[in-house]
Amino acid sequence: MTLIFQRFDADTGLLADEDVLPHLAQWQSEGLRTALVTLVGVEGGAPRQPGAQMAVAEDGRFAGYLSGGCLEAAVVLEAQAAIRAGGNRLVRYGKDSPYFDVKLPCGSGLDLYFDQSIGAAQVRELLSCRAARQACSLRTSLVDGTSIVIPAASLGPMPRSTSEKDHFDRYFSPPLRLLLLGSGPLLNAIAVVAQVSGLEIAVWSPDDATRDQAGRRGISAFNGTAALQSSIEALDYASAAVLVFHDHEAEPDILARVLDMECFYIGVLGNHAVHRQRLEALQIKGFTTTARARLHAPVGSIPGAKSKATLAAGVLAEILAEAKVANLVS
């Protein structure tokens, strides 16, 4: 059995604003000329870091953002000009920019590269890598405007998007994936928060009521040994797992299997006393101190949280904080 991780709100999820490639591919398939705009340099402080992108179509539609809202309209106009002229360009906004009428309240200088020559084949290659959950990089020459896609095998571990003298490497990681295991209202609350944010999610629960509640929100929830095994096997370095078991006796065997995976975050429900017992059980199973230290418990970043809404928000915040450390989100 292959367990399908669901990705919700592909166009409106909070993380969708970071993912401009599907929009670029859609507009190109409609026969529109497009531009991919990348933040390649920052002088001073700025709301976004190098690598942030916008996709712009010749008709003025755009996706993504490069500032707190003060720059996007100007970027669209510049992108349309680059498309009409048929040439790429590097433009400075803010500090030391020739555009005195475009003000950046943060006082920084932003260097944006407007690439109107990136082709549909390259966009499809980038999307294909992401669909296969393979990291890749788009290397763009700042001299002649050409771009190549570099597979993960040529990148090394978790690089940040970086600018060199003559080129810029924009790193793309797979979409964040979250596996929820357990039962109860908290599990479904975490699923809803992740759903709104745009993560890929899968839910496994032995509890009928939990699965029914998930189904009423359009979230597929699974049960059974085969579904459990396939969902755990699908965890990779861009994946998180959260165990929400109230009957902790069944937890150690499942947790041991999750700990064998590469996921960047593992959270487990339970107070400090429960967690001490959990660590002892894992020690008996042969897990080292380093392996056991991967666990986030009590789960969530809000101390003393009791309501499911507060707990769920704290869990997602903790997951995204760890994803930021791992360079999986900006």
Side-chain angles (χ1 to χ4, degrees), residues 263-315:
C263 42
F264 70 89
Y265 175 93
I266 304 173
V268 281
L269 184 67
N271 58 30
H272 292 286
V274 168
H275 190 51
R276 285 194 295 270
Q277 296 172 2
R278 176 186 294 126
L279 294 178
E280 291 171 0
L282 290 172
Q283 184 176 17
I284 292 172
K285 286 180 174 292
F287 284 92
T288 64
T289 302
T290 300
R292 287 176 280 142
R294 293 176 62 196
L295 301 181
H296 292 259
V299 69
S301 62
I302 304 177
K306 297 298 182 183
S307 74
K308 65 180 183 180
T310 309
L311 277 164
V315 169

Tab-separated table of all heavy atoms in Angstrom, residues 263-315:
chain	number	residue	atom	x	y	z
A	263	CYS	N	13.791	12.149	9.286
A	263	CYS	CA	13.002	13.359	9.442
A	263	CYS	C	13.668	14.386	10.366
A	263	CYS	O	14.346	14.032	11.318
A	263	CYS	CB	11.591	13.028	9.924
A	263	CYS	SG	11.498	11.778	11.203
A	264	PHE	N	13.427	15.667	10.069
A	264	PHE	CA	14.105	16.742	10.784
A	264	PHE	C	13.470	17.051	12.128
A	264	PHE	O	14.070	17.741	12.959
A	264	PHE	CB	14.153	18.011	9.921
A	264	PHE	CG	12.821	18.683	9.733
A	264	PHE	CD1	12.361	19.646	10.628
A	264	PHE	CD2	12.012	18.368	8.649
A	264	PHE	CE1	11.141	20.269	10.457
A	264	PHE	CE2	10.788	18.995	8.458
A	264	PHE	CZ	10.348	19.943	9.361
A	265	TYR	N	12.240	16.551	12.350
A	265	TYR	CA	11.532	16.871	13.597
A	265	TYR	C	10.698	15.669	14.017
A	265	TYR	O	9.981	15.069	13.208
A	265	TYR	CB	10.622	18.080	13.399
A	265	TYR	CG	9.753	18.407	14.598
A	265	TYR	CD1	10.169	19.316	15.556
A	265	TYR	CD2	8.504	17.796	14.767
A	265	TYR	CE1	9.380	19.611	16.655
A	265	TYR	CE2	7.707	18.094	15.863
A	265	TYR	CZ	8.145	18.991	16.804
A	265	TYR	OH	7.368	19.283	17.898
A	266	ILE	N	10.779	15.325	15.310
A	266	ILE	CA	9.914	14.301	15.894
A	266	ILE	C	9.380	14.851	17.207
A	266	ILE	O	10.141	15.145	18.133
A	266	ILE	CB	10.671	12.983	16.159
A	266	ILE	CG1	11.322	12.453	14.874
A	266	ILE	CG2	9.719	11.930	16.728
A	266	ILE	CD1	12.227	11.259	15.110
A	267	GLY	N	8.062	15.008	17.274
A	267	GLY	CA	7.432	15.504	18.489
A	267	GLY	C	6.562	14.423	19.108
A	267	GLY	O	5.960	13.611	18.400
A	268	VAL	N	6.500	14.398	20.431
A	268	VAL	CA	5.706	13.382	21.131
A	268	VAL	C	4.929	14.030	22.276
A	268	VAL	O	5.434	14.885	23.002
A	268	VAL	CB	6.589	12.231	21.677
A	268	VAL	CG1	6.955	11.266	20.573
A	268	VAL	CG2	7.851	12.764	22.337
A	269	LEU	N	3.682	13.595	22.420
A	269	LEU	CA	2.800	14.116	23.455
A	269	LEU	C	3.138	13.476	24.802
A	269	LEU	O	3.563	12.332	24.871
A	269	LEU	CB	1.346	13.811	23.089
A	269	LEU	CG	0.262	14.352	24.005
A	269	LEU	CD1	0.210	15.874	23.935
A	269	LEU	CD2	-1.099	13.753	23.623
A	270	GLY	N	2.922	14.224	25.879
A	270	GLY	CA	3.123	13.654	27.209
A	270	GLY	C	3.903	14.603	28.108
A	270	GLY	O	4.720	15.391	27.634
A	271	ASN	N	3.670	14.510	29.408
A	271	ASN	CA	4.381	15.370	30.344
A	271	ASN	C	5.797	14.860	30.607
A	271	ASN	O	6.236	13.859	30.021
A	271	ASN	CB	3.592	15.495	31.660
A	271	ASN	CG	3.344	14.142	32.322
A	271	ASN	OD1	4.144	13.207	32.189
A	271	ASN	ND2	2.238	14.030	33.047
A	272	HIS	N	6.501	15.520	31.505
A	272	HIS	CA	7.900	15.170	31.744
A	272	HIS	C	8.037	13.764	32.321
A	272	HIS	O	8.977	13.032	31.974
A	272	HIS	CB	8.547	16.196	32.678
A	272	HIS	CG	8.691	17.559	32.061
A	272	HIS	ND1	9.637	17.835	31.093
A	272	HIS	CD2	7.995	18.714	32.270
A	272	HIS	CE1	9.538	19.106	30.732
A	272	HIS	NE2	8.546	19.657	31.422
A	273	ALA	N	7.115	13.368	33.187
A	273	ALA	CA	7.185	12.026	33.772
A	273	ALA	C	6.992	10.957	32.701
A	273	ALA	O	7.710	9.945	32.664
A	273	ALA	CB	6.132	11.881	34.869
A	274	VAL	N	6.024	11.185	31.822
A	274	VAL	CA	5.785	10.248	30.726
A	274	VAL	C	7.008	10.181	29.814
A	274	VAL	O	7.402	9.101	29.360
A	274	VAL	CB	4.535	10.674	29.919
A	274	VAL	CG1	4.445	9.892	28.604
A	274	VAL	CG2	3.279	10.467	30.745
A	275	HIS	N	7.619	11.326	29.594
A	275	HIS	CA	8.769	11.354	28.694
A	275	HIS	C	9.962	10.605	29.293
A	275	HIS	O	10.717	9.951	28.568
A	275	HIS	CB	9.152	12.794	28.367
A	275	HIS	CG	10.164	12.899	27.273
A	275	HIS	ND1	10.025	12.274	26.057
A	275	HIS	CD2	11.377	13.542	27.229
A	275	HIS	CE1	11.075	12.542	25.297
A	275	HIS	NE2	11.910	13.301	25.992
A	276	ARG	N	10.147	10.702	30.590
A	276	ARG	CA	11.239	9.947	31.219
A	276	ARG	C	11.035	8.448	31.024
A	276	ARG	O	11.994	7.716	30.721
A	276	ARG	CB	11.324	10.292	32.713
A	276	ARG	CG	11.928	11.658	33.004
A	276	ARG	CD	12.288	11.803	34.475
A	276	ARG	NE	11.101	11.767	35.328
A	276	ARG	CZ	10.407	12.854	35.662
A	276	ARG	NH1	10.768	14.043	35.223
A	276	ARG	NH2	9.347	12.743	36.459
A	277	GLN	N	9.808	7.981	31.168
A	277	GLN	CA	9.518	6.570	30.934
A	277	GLN	C	9.743	6.193	29.472
A	277	GLN	O	10.241	5.118	29.164
A	277	GLN	CB	8.066	6.279	31.335
A	277	GLN	CG	7.791	6.467	32.823
A	277	GLN	CD	6.315	6.350	33.155
A	277	GLN	OE1	5.490	6.094	32.284
A	277	GLN	NE2	5.985	6.535	34.427
A	278	ARG	N	9.390	7.106	28.578
A	278	ARG	CA	9.586	6.879	27.141
A	278	ARG	C	11.074	6.725	26.828
A	278	ARG	O	11.483	5.822	26.091
A	278	ARG	CB	8.994	8.057	26.377
A	278	ARG	CG	9.207	8.013	24.882
A	278	ARG	CD	8.708	9.305	24.263
A	278	ARG	NE	7.265	9.452	24.396
A	278	ARG	CZ	6.664	10.514	24.937
A	278	ARG	NH1	7.406	11.509	25.436
A	278	ARG	NH2	5.360	10.587	25.015
A	279	LEU	N	11.892	7.604	27.387
A	279	LEU	CA	13.335	7.545	27.138
A	279	LEU	C	13.935	6.259	27.684
A	279	LEU	O	14.839	5.661	27.066
A	279	LEU	CB	14.014	8.766	27.757
A	279	LEU	CG	13.659	10.129	27.143
A	279	LEU	CD1	14.375	11.254	27.891
A	279	LEU	CD2	14.011	10.171	25.662
A	280	GLU	N	13.444	5.821	28.840
A	280	GLU	CA	13.934	4.563	29.405
A	280	GLU	C	13.585	3.388	28.503
A	280	GLU	O	14.414	2.488	28.285
A	280	GLU	CB	13.332	4.353	30.801
A	280	GLU	CG	13.860	5.344	31.844
A	280	GLU	CD	13.086	5.267	33.159
A	280	GLU	OE1	12.143	4.431	33.241
A	280	GLU	OE2	13.409	6.026	34.094
A	281	ALA	N	12.366	3.382	27.965
A	281	ALA	CA	11.956	2.301	27.062
A	281	ALA	C	12.811	2.289	25.801
A	281	ALA	O	13.191	1.213	25.298
A	281	ALA	CB	10.477	2.454	26.706
A	282	LEU	N	13.126	3.476	25.281
A	282	LEU	CA	13.956	3.554	24.078
A	282	LEU	C	15.396	3.143	24.372
A	282	LEU	O	16.067	2.542	23.531
A	282	LEU	CB	13.914	4.973	23.508
A	282	LEU	CG	12.582	5.394	22.875
A	282	LEU	CD1	12.603	6.874	22.542
A	282	LEU	CD2	12.289	4.563	21.631
A	283	GLN	N	15.873	3.454	25.569
A	283	GLN	CA	17.219	3.038	25.957
A	283	GLN	C	17.306	1.518	26.000
A	283	GLN	O	18.296	0.928	25.540
A	283	GLN	CB	17.587	3.634	27.308
A	283	GLN	CG	19.031	3.327	27.731
A	283	GLN	CD	19.389	4.025	29.036
A	283	GLN	OE1	18.525	4.469	29.785
A	283	GLN	NE2	20.677	4.138	29.316
A	284	ILE	N	16.278	0.876	26.521
A	284	ILE	CA	16.240	-0.586	26.560
A	284	ILE	C	16.264	-1.157	25.147
A	284	ILE	O	16.859	-2.213	24.889
A	284	ILE	CB	14.987	-1.060	27.331
A	284	ILE	CG1	15.114	-0.686	28.807
A	284	ILE	CG2	14.780	-2.565	27.181
A	284	ILE	CD1	13.854	-0.932	29.613
A	285	LYS	N	15.655	-0.431	24.197
A	285	LYS	CA	15.636	-0.884	22.811
A	285	LYS	C	16.955	-0.622	22.095
A	285	LYS	O	17.126	-0.973	20.926
A	285	LYS	CB	14.495	-0.197	22.048
A	285	LYS	CG	13.113	-0.722	22.396
A	285	LYS	CD	12.055	0.007	21.594
A	285	LYS	CE	10.677	-0.601	21.823
A	285	LYS	NZ	10.580	-1.969	21.241
A	286	GLY	N	17.899	0.020	22.781
A	286	GLY	CA	19.220	0.219	22.212
A	286	GLY	C	19.469	1.572	21.581
A	286	GLY	O	20.510	1.783	20.947
A	287	PHE	N	18.538	2.533	21.731
A	287	PHE	CA	18.735	3.853	21.141
A	287	PHE	C	19.699	4.673	22.001
A	287	PHE	O	19.582	4.718	23.223
A	287	PHE	CB	17.399	4.581	21.003
A	287	PHE	CG	16.564	4.083	19.864
A	287	PHE	CD1	15.638	3.069	20.062
A	287	PHE	CD2	16.727	4.597	18.585
A	287	PHE	CE1	14.871	2.594	19.013
A	287	PHE	CE2	15.971	4.124	17.527
A	287	PHE	CZ	15.040	3.117	17.739
A	288	THR	N	20.631	5.320	21.343
A	288	THR	CA	21.656	6.094	22.037
A	288	THR	C	21.078	7.393	22.598
A	288	THR	O	19.959	7.795	22.253
A	288	THR	CB	22.799	6.454	21.076
A	288	THR	OG1	22.284	7.322	20.042
A	288	THR	CG2	23.390	5.192	20.447
A	289	THR	N	21.861	8.046	23.441
A	289	THR	CA	21.454	9.340	23.981
A	289	THR	C	21.228	10.344	22.866
A	289	THR	O	20.279	11.137	22.910
A	289	THR	CB	22.524	9.870	24.952
A	289	THR	OG1	22.716	8.926	26.010
A	289	THR	CG2	22.122	11.217	25.534
A	290	THR	N	22.083	10.318	21.854
A	290	THR	CA	21.945	11.235	20.716
A	290	THR	C	20.641	10.998	19.974
A	290	THR	O	19.935	11.947	19.616
A	290	THR	CB	23.125	11.067	19.753
A	290	THR	OG1	24.348	11.341	20.435
A	290	THR	CG2	22.996	11.999	18.562
A	291	ALA	N	20.303	9.740	19.755
A	291	ALA	CA	19.056	9.421	19.054
A	291	ALA	C	17.854	9.862	19.865
A	291	ALA	O	16.900	10.454	19.332
A	291	ALA	CB	18.987	7.921	18.772
A	292	ARG	N	17.892	9.614	21.179
A	292	ARG	CA	16.756	9.983	22.028
A	292	ARG	C	16.615	11.495	22.151
A	292	ARG	O	15.514	12.021	22.352
A	292	ARG	CB	16.918	9.337	23.407
A	292	ARG	CG	16.654	7.840	23.406
A	292	ARG	CD	16.913	7.209	24.761
A	292	ARG	NE	18.335	6.966	24.973
A	292	ARG	CZ	18.965	7.121	26.135
A	292	ARG	NH1	18.307	7.545	27.190
A	292	ARG	NH2	20.246	6.863	26.240
A	293	ALA	N	17.718	12.212	21.992
A	293	ALA	CA	17.681	13.671	22.097
A	293	ALA	C	16.976	14.313	20.895
A	293	ALA	O	16.669	15.512	20.925
A	293	ALA	CB	19.095	14.227	22.213
A	294	ARG	N	16.700	13.550	19.857
A	294	ARG	CA	15.974	14.080	18.699
A	294	ARG	C	14.519	14.385	19.041
A	294	ARG	O	13.867	15.146	18.325
A	294	ARG	CB	16.007	13.080	17.535
A	294	ARG	CG	17.377	12.858	16.922
A	294	ARG	CD	17.298	11.777	15.848
A	294	ARG	NE	16.403	12.180	14.764
A	294	ARG	CZ	15.906	11.337	13.857
A	294	ARG	NH1	16.191	10.052	13.940
A	294	ARG	NH2	15.111	11.772	12.904
A	295	LEU	N	14.018	13.803	20.116
A	295	LEU	CA	12.603	13.937	20.441
A	295	LEU	C	12.298	15.300	21.059
A	295	LEU	O	13.022	15.779	21.933
A	295	LEU	CB	12.185	12.843	21.421
A	295	LEU	CG	12.389	11.396	20.965
A	295	LEU	CD1	11.913	10.441	22.043
A	295	LEU	CD2	11.662	11.132	19.655
A	296	HIS	N	11.213	15.910	20.605
A	296	HIS	CA	10.713	17.149	21.205
A	296	HIS	C	9.563	16.779	22.125
A	296	HIS	O	8.494	16.357	21.671
A	296	HIS	CB	10.239	18.114	20.121
A	296	HIS	CG	11.351	18.660	19.277
A	296	HIS	ND1	11.873	19.921	19.470
A	296	HIS	CD2	12.050	18.107	18.254
A	296	HIS	CE1	12.841	20.125	18.591
A	296	HIS	NE2	12.958	19.047	17.836
A	297	ALA	N	9.786	16.924	23.412
A	297	ALA	CA	8.765	16.561	24.389
A	297	ALA	C	8.990	17.357	25.676
A	297	ALA	O	10.138	17.519	26.097
A	297	ALA	CB	8.823	15.061	24.685
A	298	PRO	N	7.916	17.846	26.296
A	298	PRO	CA	6.554	17.878	25.774
A	298	PRO	C	6.485	18.660	24.458
A	298	PRO	O	7.214	19.641	24.271
A	298	PRO	CB	5.763	18.587	26.866
A	298	PRO	CG	6.588	18.421	28.103
A	298	PRO	CD	8.011	18.442	27.624
A	299	VAL	N	5.624	18.199	23.559
A	299	VAL	CA	5.581	18.745	22.216
A	299	VAL	C	5.031	20.169	22.213
A	299	VAL	O	4.193	20.536	23.033
A	299	VAL	CB	4.724	17.820	21.312
A	299	VAL	CG1	3.258	17.898	21.717
A	299	VAL	CG2	4.911	18.150	19.847
A	300	GLY	N	5.538	20.997	21.298
A	300	GLY	CA	5.033	22.356	21.137
A	300	GLY	C	5.915	23.407	21.764
A	300	GLY	O	6.658	23.142	22.706
A	301	SER	N	5.815	24.622	21.252
A	301	SER	CA	6.686	25.718	21.705
A	301	SER	C	6.028	26.639	22.712
A	301	SER	O	6.631	27.630	23.127
A	301	SER	CB	7.133	26.541	20.485
A	301	SER	OG	6.010	27.137	19.838
A	302	ILE	N	4.780	26.347	23.112
A	302	ILE	CA	4.078	27.196	24.081
A	302	ILE	C	4.011	26.459	25.417
A	302	ILE	O	3.221	25.521	25.572
A	302	ILE	CB	2.659	27.545	23.594
A	302	ILE	CG1	2.723	28.216	22.217
A	302	ILE	CG2	1.954	28.455	24.598
A	302	ILE	CD1	1.371	28.523	21.615
A	303	PRO	N	4.835	26.836	26.389
A	303	PRO	CA	4.863	26.129	27.674
A	303	PRO	C	3.504	26.160	28.375
A	303	PRO	O	2.834	27.192	28.413
A	303	PRO	CB	5.916	26.903	28.481
A	303	PRO	CG	6.755	27.600	27.455
A	303	PRO	CD	5.825	27.930	26.336
A	304	GLY	N	3.102	25.018	28.919
A	304	GLY	CA	1.876	24.946	29.691
A	304	GLY	C	0.600	25.017	28.875
A	304	GLY	O	-0.485	25.173	29.440
A	305	ALA	N	0.691	24.922	27.536
A	305	ALA	CA	-0.502	25.000	26.695
A	305	ALA	C	-1.451	23.852	27.020
A	305	ALA	O	-1.024	22.705	27.174
A	305	ALA	CB	-0.103	24.959	25.231
A	306	LYS	N	-2.731	24.147	27.104
A	306	LYS	CA	-3.730	23.138	27.447
A	306	LYS	C	-4.815	22.984	26.385
A	306	LYS	O	-5.296	21.883	26.155
A	306	LYS	CB	-4.393	23.488	28.785
A	306	LYS	CG	-3.433	23.497	29.969
A	306	LYS	CD	-2.819	22.125	30.209
A	306	LYS	CE	-1.894	22.135	31.423
A	306	LYS	NZ	-1.238	20.815	31.618
A	307	SER	N	-5.219	24.072	25.747
A	307	SER	CA	-6.272	23.958	24.746
A	307	SER	C	-5.698	23.376	23.468
A	307	SER	O	-4.511	23.530	23.161
A	307	SER	CB	-6.900	25.324	24.455
A	307	SER	OG	-6.019	26.117	23.679
A	308	LYS	N	-6.548	22.719	22.693
A	308	LYS	CA	-6.054	22.100	21.462
A	308	LYS	C	-5.589	23.147	20.455
A	308	LYS	O	-4.634	22.905	19.700
A	308	LYS	CB	-7.113	21.190	20.850
A	308	LYS	CG	-8.375	21.883	20.364
A	308	LYS	CD	-9.356	20.880	19.773
A	308	LYS	CE	-10.597	21.573	19.224
A	308	LYS	NZ	-11.561	20.597	18.651
A	309	ALA	N	-6.234	24.322	20.452
A	309	ALA	CA	-5.820	25.376	19.532
A	309	ALA	C	-4.420	25.876	19.869
A	309	ALA	O	-3.570	26.044	18.988
A	309	ALA	CB	-6.822	26.532	19.567
A	310	THR	N	-4.163	26.113	21.155
A	310	THR	CA	-2.846	26.591	21.586
A	310	THR	C	-1.780	25.535	21.371
A	310	THR	O	-0.672	25.830	20.912
A	310	THR	CB	-2.895	26.999	23.068
A	310	THR	OG1	-3.984	27.877	23.278
A	310	THR	CG2	-1.607	27.692	23.483
A	311	LEU	N	-2.108	24.297	21.710
A	311	LEU	CA	-1.160	23.209	21.500
A	311	LEU	C	-0.830	23.030	20.029
A	311	LEU	O	0.329	22.884	19.643
A	311	LEU	CB	-1.729	21.917	22.078
A	311	LEU	CG	-1.547	21.700	23.577
A	311	LEU	CD1	-2.483	20.608	24.075
A	311	LEU	CD2	-0.093	21.339	23.898
A	312	ALA	N	-1.865	23.043	19.176
A	312	ALA	CA	-1.648	22.834	17.745
A	312	ALA	C	-0.795	23.947	17.144
A	312	ALA	O	0.124	23.699	16.359
A	312	ALA	CB	-2.984	22.733	17.024
A	313	ALA	N	-1.094	25.206	17.530
A	313	ALA	CA	-0.303	26.332	17.029
A	313	ALA	C	1.144	26.213	17.494
A	313	ALA	O	2.083	26.486	16.728
A	313	ALA	CB	-0.909	27.652	17.498
A	314	GLY	N	1.339	25.790	18.754
A	314	GLY	CA	2.693	25.628	19.271
A	314	GLY	C	3.450	24.521	18.577
A	314	GLY	O	4.662	24.634	18.328
A	315	VAL	N	2.762	23.440	18.224
A	315	VAL	CA	3.409	22.329	17.517
A	315	VAL	C	3.869	22.776	16.133
A	315	VAL	O	5.006	22.526	15.727
A	315	VAL	CB	2.458	21.122	17.410
A	315	VAL	CG1	3.020	20.069	16.454
A	315	VAL	CG2	2.227	20.504	18.781
